[in-house]
């Protein structure tokens, strides 16, 4: 029986993720990077040199075994953080499961490999007071200022990812109902409510650049850069960095910290965990549960201070 070069199998797998699973370009690229890293390691470890001109690995997927995977994990532990190792291992699991399903290999070499436990990191977030100070510090006497205020009001009000915000069009906003339609990971669509302050700021921004007809040109980006094009996630992060540098905040602030703040403040105020999961677009409830640790820490601190017989 003929064997299959690992690089051609990786290429086929990535095509499957894009065409059948609907994975985003960024996700497919991340999978490819992790898998080709393993391909290079496997070829070197097995003493099979890559083609010097094409740099294609000559390693065959049928030659992958438990001992090779264990050695690769040891190699990763020398230069990667646990989170990266877990991600790379997840990519390998998906890849070899795909090969088994397609009857390309009969045994999965990762069958007996356990996944390292993820560290329980509490996400960085702003207090309510810090969040309000940040938003109120953004001046709205210019078009760019009004746009920036609308951007961060929207992020905090809805909890959407910065990539989701950058992808919003005018047609994504239902001004009457106070809802926005976003496309999350894997192109999954969800409807998210936003508060009146955020909606009013969006309206003011759109009126400033379009006049009273804020619904015209529905397919154009909701938030525009100076060239009337779509803002990038990096440019949004740079704008936020500028505001943060102007006054002291107790935690590192990134666009994702605004999302963490939204989740934390919602749960602290008594919101149902599954509702917050739906709003954030989390596939797994365990991802959302990270935010409950913040509330529990605060609860224990209050208990220790107040209970007479602790």
């Amino acid at each position: 029986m003929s064997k299959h070069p690992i690089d051609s199998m990786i290429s086929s797998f990535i095509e499957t993720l894009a065409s059948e699973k609907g994975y985003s370009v960024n996700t497919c690229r991340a999978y490819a990077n992790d898998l080709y890293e393993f391909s290079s390691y496997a070829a070197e470890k097995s003493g099979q040199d890559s083609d010097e001109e094409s740099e294609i690995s000559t390693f065959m997927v049928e030659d992958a075994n438990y001992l090779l995977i264990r050695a690769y994990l040891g190699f990763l532990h020398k230069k990667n953080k646990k989170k990266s190792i877990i991600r790379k291992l997840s990519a390998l699991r998906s890849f070899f499961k795909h090969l088994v399903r397609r009857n390309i290999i009969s045994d999965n070499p990762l069958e007996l490999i356990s996944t390292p436990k993820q560290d329980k990191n509490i996400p960085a977030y702003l207090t309510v007071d810090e969040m309000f100070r940040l938003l109120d510090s953004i001046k709205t006497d210019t078009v760019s200022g009004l746009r920036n205020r609308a951007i961060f009001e929207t992020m905090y009000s809805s909890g959407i990812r910065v990539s989701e915000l950058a992808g919003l069009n005018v047609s994504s906003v239902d001004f009457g109902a106070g809802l926005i339609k976003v496309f999350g990971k894997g192109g999954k669509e969800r409807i998210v409510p936003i508060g009146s302050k955020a909606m009013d700021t969006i309206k003011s921004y759109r009126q400033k650049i379009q006049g009273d007809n804020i619904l015209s040109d529905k397919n154009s980006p909701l938030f525009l850069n100076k060239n009337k094009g779509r803002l990038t996630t990096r440019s949004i992060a740079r704008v936020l960095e500028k505001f943060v540098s102007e006054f002291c905040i107790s935690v590192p602030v990134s666009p994702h910290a605004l999302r963490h703040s939204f989740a934390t403040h919602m749960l602290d105020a008594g919101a149902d965990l599954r509702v917050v999961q739906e709003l954030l677009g989390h596939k797994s409830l365990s991802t959302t549960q990270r935010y409950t640790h913040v509330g529990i820490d605060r609860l224990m601190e209050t208990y220790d201070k107040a209970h007479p017989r602790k």
Side-chain angles (χ1 to χ4, degrees):
M1 181 182 291
S2 62
K3 291 187 175 183
H4 301 82
I6 189 170
D7 282 4
S8 63
M9 292 296 96
I10 292 173
S11 178
S12 175
F13 173 61
I14 298 303
E15 289 179 8
T16 299
L17 293 182
S19 60
E20 297 180 17
K21 302 291 187 179
Y23 284 22
S24 69
V25 172
N26 288 338
T27 299
C28 288
R29 185 184 299 117
Y31 268 85
N33 290 340
D34 289 340
L35 293 174
Y36 283 125
E37 180 184 14
F38 171 73
S39 169
S40 298
Y41 174 85
E44 182 179 348
K45 188 73 174 176
S46 60
Q48 300 176 17
D49 294 330
S50 297
D51 185 307
E52 291 183 0
E53 293 185 2
S54 64
E55 296 185 352
I56 295 176
S57 171
T58 56
F59 185 80
M60 303 294 170
V61 291
E62 289 83 358
D63 294 332
N65 56 39
Y66 170 81
L67 293 177
L68 176 65
I69 301 298
R70 289 294 304 172
Y72 181 58
L73 281 176
F75 166 75
L76 291 178
H77 275 289
K78 294 178 181 178
K79 63 172 187 174
N80 290 272
K81 293 182 179 179
K82 187 180 290 187
K83 186 175 182 180
S84 295
I85 295 172
I86 292 172
R87 189 198 70 235
K88 293 174 188 294
L89 189 57
S90 176
L92 282 175
R93 285 191 193 283
S94 298
F95 174 58
F96 281 106
K97 282 181 181 179
H98 167 81
L99 296 179
V100 171
R101 284 195 298 267
R102 298 295 172 94
N103 295 315
I104 295 170
I105 60 174
S106 56
D107 297 315
N108 189 337
L110 283 95
E111 196 71 41
L112 300 177
I113 300 292
S114 59
T115 301
K117 289 186 177 181
Q118 177 71 59
D119 294 331
K120 297 289 186 179
N121 293 327
I122 297 175
Y125 71 100
L126 303 179
T127 66
V128 173
D129 180 61
E130 288 172 334
M131 193 69 243
F132 279 33
R133 284 201 299 126
L134 175 64
L135 294 174
D136 291 341
S137 73
I138 304 173
K139 297 180 180 179
T140 57
D141 53 349
T142 63
V143 173
S144 62
L146 196 54
R147 180 205 64 187
N148 295 338
R149 179 72 167 266
I151 284 173
F152 299 119
E153 286 279 9
T154 300
M155 291 190 70
Y156 175 57
S157 183
S158 63
I160 62 176
R161 300 176 178 91
V162 64
S163 58
E164 294 168 345
L165 181 128
L168 291 176
N169 291 332
V170 175
S171 60
S172 304
V173 185
D174 185 333
F175 288 95
L179 301 169
I180 52 175
K181 178 169 64 177
V182 300
F183 291 92
K185 293 184 176 180
K188 292 183 179 179
E189 177 186 315
R190 71 183 189 279
I191 305 298
V192 181
I194 64 173
S196 58
K197 285 186 179 295
M199 188 63 80
D200 288 345
T201 313
I202 293 174
K203 286 180 181 178
S204 297
Y205 165 63
R206 295 302 304 186
Q207 286 172 344
K208 194 79 171 180
I209 61 176
Q210 285 188 296
D212 291 333
N213 191 10
I214 60 174
L215 296 179
S216 65
D217 200 8
K218 288 188 175 183
N219 293 323
S220 71
L222 180 63
F223 301 112
L224 303 172
N225 60 26
K226 62 181 180 181
N227 297 318
K228 307 298 182 184
R230 190 178 299 278
L231 284 166
T232 65
T233 57
R234 182 60 197 133
S235 62
I236 294 171
R238 279 197 296 264
V239 171
L240 181 58
E241 287 170 5
K242 174 180 175 294
F243 292 126
V244 170
S245 67
E246 294 176 358
F247 61 96
C248 294
I249 287 183
S250 60
V251 297
V253 180
S254 66
H256 216 61
L258 304 192
R259 179 169 159 87
H260 294 332
S261 301
F262 163 84
T264 301
H265 299 168
M266 289 286 287
L267 290 168
D268 280 353
D272 182 84
L273 186 63
R274 290 197 177 275
V275 171
V276 176
Q277 176 193 4
E278 184 71 22
L279 292 172
L280 293 173
H282 284 161
K283 184 177 180 180
S284 171
L285 186 64
S286 62
T287 306
T288 315
Q289 284 175 324
R290 292 181 304 159
Y291 300 105
T292 63
H293 291 288
V294 175
I296 291 171
D297 287 345
R298 187 176 298 129
L299 182 70
M300 291 302 296
E301 182 182 354
T302 303
Y303 178 89
D304 287 341
K305 288 180 179 179
H307 200 283
R309 194 176 173 85
K310 59 181 183 293

